[in-house]
Amino acid sequence: MEKIEQVRSALAGRGLQALWVTDPANVRYLSGFTHPDDGRVLVTPAEVLLYTDSRYTVQAKEDAEEGVQVVIASPLSALEQAAPKVAGLKVGIEAANLTVAGLERLQSAWQAQFHPTEGLVEELRLYKTDAEISGIRAAQDLADRVFGEVRPMIKAGVRELDVAIALEQGLRQAGATSAFDVIVASGVRGALPHGAASDKVIEDGDLVTVDFGANLNGYNSDMTRTVAVGEPSAELQRIYTAVLAAEEAAVAAIRPGMQAGDLDAVARDLLAEHGLAEAFAHSLGHGVGLVVHENPRLARGSEDVLQPGMVITIEPGAYIEDLGGVRIEDLVLVTESGYEVLSHSPKERF
């Protein structure tokens, strides 16, 4: 398995010999196990072992990728069985995920040296394989289809909650789940970047921001559209047009080798030209994969470098208190020659 050899190489570069993997996304990435919250992975110089309990005896064996050994054991027994395999080794632990209690249990069970690591597996996850890209593409295609089915119900007299429920139901009926809590924010609530759907009734003249994604077979999508109900005010149309221009300019600027902070500046500078610098209150975007928010980080000053195989969002926004807001977001694959937009739902044009 190429990814396991990459892990071992990364471990060697840090002077380590083994890795105890507890982060669910990393467990799934390295093992293929589809219930990673209930699994742990141990990478040693000679083996890759997936530890889970007896509820998953069949599932783990079906899911495990080639070269991954499945060990069915209770959490305590798993540590006891793993102890001889790490005796005397320098073992990396995932500092951002392993709890203090979890570390104490390791220290009691293993005669090993523990060293905190950060980003070791996540750095590998930055670059999606063809299979992962296919998985993300399928999730986004599904989200586009569901949005198209629900779009006609976004009209005056309908509650934000009803729109969110319809999106979630559409995803469920298609065999997916919602990647995160659906955002539906209409009218003055559009000024809330993370305005979870409420019982507010959509009104004529509202702009309605809809941010949602599908989780399909472990991989996520993420997309935002701001749609018009009736005829929004001239000021709302002006803000929308500015955000759309910033979003499309940023997408068009994507290329491998570009610093993420420079891409953020493309959208931020354009919005500033429209007097909306202060209204753009968040970063331009983020990576998407097994986790809906992962690296790279597309933010002001970010030194992350875009490379082929990364899947990112481009999502500038402008939010004006007591007026409303706009966010437009596309899911984009960075390619060898530039980019491919994976989200295809239509955008408003004024």
Side-chain angles (χ1 to χ4, degrees):
M1 294 173 62
E2 181 180 358
K3 64 181 68 172
I4 297 300
E5 292 309 313
Q6 291 174 325
V7 168
R8 288 182 176 131
S9 177
L11 286 169
R14 303 182 188 203
L16 304 177
Q17 299 154 300
L19 181 66
W20 180 243
V21 183
T22 53
D23 179 89
N26 292 340
V27 169
R28 179 159 189 163
Y29 179 74
L30 295 177
S31 69
F33 186 39
T34 57
H35 294 273
D37 287 336
D38 295 313
R40 300 290 185 267
V41 169
L42 177 63
V43 179
T44 72
E47 297 176 294
V48 185
L49 302 112
L50 167 64
Y51 294 89
T52 189
D53 62 65
S54 57
R55 292 174 295 171
Y56 303 107
T57 299
V58 176
Q59 188 71 58
K61 292 177 181 178
E62 290 181 353
D63 290 342
E65 295 184 1
E66 184 178 356
V68 176
Q69 301 176 49
V70 175
V71 180
I72 303 299
S74 68
L76 180 58
S77 178
L79 294 183
E80 293 173 347
Q81 292 184 46
K85 300 178 182 297
V86 296
L89 299 184
K90 295 180 179 179
V91 180
I93 54 173
E94 296 185 307
N97 182 267
L98 186 66
T99 65
V100 172
L103 176 58
E104 289 177 346
R105 285 191 289 270
L106 287 178
Q107 291 171 330
S108 297
W110 294 357
Q111 297 299 312
Q113 300 176 42
F114 298 101
H115 298 266
T117 67
E118 289 192 54
L120 193 149
V121 179
E122 288 83 352
E123 289 175 8
L124 303 180
R125 284 173 37 210
L126 281 169
Y127 312 101
K128 274 57 180 181
T129 64
D130 289 345
E132 289 180 298
I133 292 168
S134 293
I136 296 169
R137 191 190 303 277
Q140 182 56 56
D141 288 347
L142 175 58
D144 278 324
R145 177 168 65 80
V146 170
F147 182 76
E149 293 168 351
V150 173
R151 173 65 180 87
M153 74 174 290
I154 304 176
K155 57 187 178 181
V158 176
R159 296 185 309 162
E160 294 173 353
L161 276 170
D162 295 325
V163 176
I165 290 168
L167 290 168
E168 291 173 354
Q169 184 177 10
L171 293 173
R172 281 285 189 181
Q173 288 176 332
T177 59
S178 183
F180 50 89
D181 290 341
V182 176
I183 292 171
V184 182
S186 63
V188 295
R189 293 192 72 253
L192 304 172
H194 282 181
S198 74
D199 61 1
K200 178 188 177 299
V201 175
I202 297 169
E203 300 176 17
D204 189 62
D206 279 354
L207 287 179
V208 184
T209 297
V210 179
D211 186 351
F212 85 116
N215 180 294
L216 181 65
N217 299 322
Y219 282 90
N220 295 283
S221 70
D222 191 1
M223 177 184 71
T224 306
R225 292 292 184 264
T226 297
V227 302
V229 175
E231 186 75 12
S233 69
E235 178 62 3
L236 284 173
Q237 291 188 39
R238 184 190 75 84
I239 294 169
Y240 180 93
T241 301
V243 172
L244 178 60
E247 197 268 346
E248 292 184 337
V251 170
I254 294 171
R255 65 182 186 276
M258 187 178 197
Q259 281 199 345
D262 293 338
L263 188 57
D264 178 279
V266 171
R268 199 169 299 278
D269 291 349
L270 198 153
L271 286 173
E273 293 175 9
H274 290 269
L276 296 170
E278 297 302 318
F280 183 16
H282 53 73
S283 60
L284 179 64
H286 53 84
V288 177
L290 285 168
V291 178
V292 78
H293 288 87
E294 59 182 42
N295 288 331
R297 180 171 173 264
L298 281 65
R300 184 159 30 195
S302 172
E303 296 182 356
D304 290 349
V305 177
L306 302 183
Q307 298 292 351
M310 292 182 175
V311 177
I312 60 176
T313 66
I314 300 295
E315 50 180 305
Y319 313 94
I320 310 295
E321 189 174 357
D322 297 325
L323 177 63
V326 175
R327 182 165 65 256
I328 303 169
E329 175 186 22
D330 278 314
L331 189 64
V332 185
L333 169 66
V334 182
T335 67
E336 294 285 349
S337 59
Y339 65 91
E340 177 190 351
V341 178
L342 303 181
S343 45
H344 301 296
S345 294
K347 301 169 188 173
E348 299 282 345
R349 304 279 172 176
F350 295 113

